[in-house]
């Protein structure tokens, strides 16, 4: 079996960050700059949602995070075209070889891909 034909591994670790190999699946990723969402805000929301069901907590937390990020808090380094270009080039580097990037957007303090 070639590497491309091998079974998806699921979640696994290479010792530092978790990885997910789900085979050919559509995935949506959001990553953000460190100062775009203070840890205290996130912890406050988690505490407020403790009494909710797991699914309700997950959905509400994601909605709050997205809304907060869209407000543009933090230093917003990604609004600098030179920095945004570095991120875009990184996103496109393995496009077509290791993955197919369908769409992406670079916001001032976070990225969707």
């Amino acid at each position: 079996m070639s590497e491309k034909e091998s079974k998806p591994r699921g979640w696994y670790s290479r010792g530092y960050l978790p990885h997910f190999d789900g085979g050919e699946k559509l995935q949506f990723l959001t990553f953000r700059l460190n100062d775009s969402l203070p840890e205290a805000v996130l912890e406050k929301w988690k505490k407020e949602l403790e009494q909710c069901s797991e699914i309700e907590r997950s959905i509400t937390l994601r909605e709050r995070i997205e809304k907060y990020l869209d407000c543009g808090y933090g230093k917003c380094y990604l609004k600098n075209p030179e920095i945004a270009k570095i991120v875009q080039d990184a996103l496109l580097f393995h496009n077509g070889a290791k993955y197919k990037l369908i769409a992406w957007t670079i916001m001032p303090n976070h990225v969707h891909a």
Side-chain angles (χ1 to χ4, degrees), residues 21-71:
D21 175 4
E24 291 189 23
K25 294 186 186 261
L26 186 62
Q27 298 183 45
F28 178 83
L29 304 172
T30 298
F31 56 94
R32 62 184 178 82
L33 299 180
N34 187 53
D35 68 348
S36 62
L37 176 59
E39 189 68 29
V41 172
L42 193 55
E43 290 304 316
K44 177 180 176 264
W45 291 342
K46 287 179 180 179
K47 188 159 184 69
E48 291 172 1
L49 298 170
E50 282 178 346
Q51 302 305 314
C52 299
S53 70
E54 187 176 338
I55 188 76
E56 184 182 358
R57 186 171 48 246
S58 177
I59 291 169
T60 303
L61 192 57
R62 286 180 214 206
E63 288 172 346
R64 287 182 182 185
I65 290 169
E66 289 301 319
K67 187 174 180 181
Y68 195 93
L69 292 177
D70 286 342
C71 289

Side-chain angles (χ1 to χ4, degrees), residues 27 88 90-96 99-104 112-113:
Q27 298 183 45
Q88 175 178 280
L91 289 171
L92 295 173
F93 187 77
H94 288 295
N95 185 35
Y99 51 80
K100 179 182 176 185
L101 187 61
I102 298 170
W104 72 96
H112 298 291

